[in-house]
Amino acid sequence: MSQDDHSRDSAGLTYVYPVVSRRAGGVSIGINLNPNNACNWRCIYCQVPDLKRGTAPVIDLVRLEQELRDFLHELVYGNFMQEKVPPETRVIKDIALSGNGEPTSAREFEQIIEIIGRVKADFPLPEELKLVLITNGSLINRMYVQKGLHLMAGLNGEVWFKLDSVTQTGRLRINNTRASLQRMRDNLQTAASLCPTWLQTCVFKLKGVHPDTHETDAYIGFIRTLLQEGTQIRGVLLYTLARPALQPEAPDLSKADPDWIKTFADKIRALGIPVRTAF
């Protein structure tokens, strides 16, 4: 495995897959709740093949639990790490609810968190092991999601809440969503009140051009307002493209320059919050 291999099929399972994660800094145990490649957004940098609009299918909870148990057993007691993971990343960093769509669209979300907690307790895993939810945040207002986030908080959980743009034009262009900024703010505040929450922002060049000052100033202003309102975000995960997109806009996308990312990160840090970057 390498940092470029994020295939959801790499373990031959329905729900569970391994990733060598740049942002996590080791092996992330991915849980894909959208094997039907369906999402309620369509981000132009998405690497999911045959992406379609929709929600997660009914989750086979028995199968998910068995796959997670079997895979953890192989990681902890088997030869997976030695045979398939580079030496410098042979550490289990997190269990991540991500995959080929929006994971919180799975109606069984609360039950899935309960399963993860139960399985996790049966293995000698590092105390600092994270349970990460990678989400666009659009469904945080649903009660079953909030109950799941409450459970996550007791399992060393973190929410990585997507925030690629705070302008209506930017969200429509990048994420293909008409969700209002007010709804995004409300959902973010709810998430942060239930479970430690980071903002996750993808920056890139569109047709060779970085986000303009209108976009970046609006972003900085939004975070400043959040902090003034007392929203307890842990920080910002700022990253750029790692692999080719599989959406129609792919030819127009390219990585943000490292110097541009560093400059933007410094502006965010000036607000008094941590920023982690991945190039």
Side-chain angles (χ1 to χ4, degrees):
M1 288 184 65
S2 72
Q3 292 182 355
D4 295 324
D5 182 8
H6 284 224
S7 171
R8 314 304 196 224
D9 302 320
S10 56
L13 304 174
T14 299
Y15 299 113
V16 177
Y17 63 97
V19 168
V20 179
S21 173
R22 295 178 303 147
R23 280 167 280 168
V27 175
S28 175
I29 302 168
I31 297 180
N32 178 18
L33 301 182
N34 304 80
N36 58 348
N37 295 358
C39 189
N40 61 340
W41 287 14
R42 190 190 71 79
C43 300
I44 61 176
Y45 54 79
C46 184
Q47 294 119 20
V48 173
D50 302 316
L51 183 70
K52 60 185 179 183
R53 292 278 189 168
T55 61
V58 174
I59 304 299
D60 183 339
L61 296 175
V62 174
R63 182 168 188 170
L64 188 153
E65 179 168 355
Q66 192 60 55
E67 286 189 0
L68 183 58
R69 285 188 181 279
D70 290 347
F71 192 68
L72 274 172
H73 190 275
E74 177 61 23
L75 281 180
V76 174
Y77 302 113
N79 297 321
F80 185 91
M81 288 286 204
Q82 289 70 29
E83 294 178 355
K84 298 187 178 182
V85 179
E88 66 276 12
T89 51
R90 286 177 185 166
V91 58
I92 305 172
K93 297 295 291 189
D94 61 43
I95 298 172
L97 290 152
S98 178
N100 293 7
E102 173 50 42
T104 61
S105 67
R107 293 284 180 174
E108 303 87 353
F109 184 75
E110 181 185 4
Q111 297 160 275
I112 291 163
I113 303 303
E114 290 175 343
I115 287 170
I116 293 170
R118 184 164 65 245
V119 173
K120 184 180 172 186
D122 289 341
F123 287 87
L125 298 171
E127 287 187 13
E128 66 274 16
L129 184 75
K130 293 284 186 182
L131 172 56
V132 178
L133 169 65
I134 302 174
T135 176
N136 63 31
S138 62
L139 305 177
I140 299 294
N141 58 309
R142 295 184 175 181
M143 189 54 62
Y144 71 84
V145 179
Q146 294 179 23
K147 290 180 178 179
L149 294 184
H150 179 73
L151 291 175
M152 281 185 61
L155 295 170
N156 200 26
E158 277 185 359
V159 177
W160 293 4
F161 191 112
K162 183 186 295 293
L163 182 70
D164 295 329
S165 174
V166 301
T167 71
Q168 184 176 12
T169 300
R171 291 194 303 280
L172 187 58
R173 180 177 62 244
I174 297 171
N175 309 121
N176 279 275
T177 178
R178 297 185 182 276
S180 71
L181 185 59
Q182 186 59 53
R183 171 58 67 85
M184 180 183 292
R185 178 186 284 111
D186 290 346
N187 284 355
L188 177 57
Q189 290 171 336
T190 298
S193 72
L194 293 169
C195 188
T197 298
W198 289 74
L199 298 178
Q200 180 185 228
T201 300
C202 183
V203 291
F204 51 89
K205 290 190 283 189
L206 182 61
K207 296 184 177 179
V209 179
H210 288 108
D212 60 25
T213 54
H214 174 67
E215 279 288 331
T216 55
D217 287 351
Y219 184 98
I220 295 294
F222 178 77
I223 295 179
R224 181 182 293 113
T225 299
L226 285 177
L227 297 176
Q228 291 171 346
E229 293 172 346
T231 304
Q232 298 296 314
I233 56 174
R234 295 301 177 96
V236 174
L237 307 170
L238 191 64
Y239 70 106
T240 191
L241 308 178
R243 302 168 306 283
L246 294 177
Q247 305 307 310
E249 297 86 353
D252 296 331
L253 309 182
S254 56
K255 288 186 175 185
D257 296 337
D259 287 346
W260 188 94
I261 295 175
K262 290 175 183 176
T263 298
F264 188 34
D266 286 342
K267 290 180 179 179
I268 302 170
R269 290 190 184 101
L271 298 173
I273 60 172
V275 180
R276 300 177 189 167
T277 57
F279 306 107

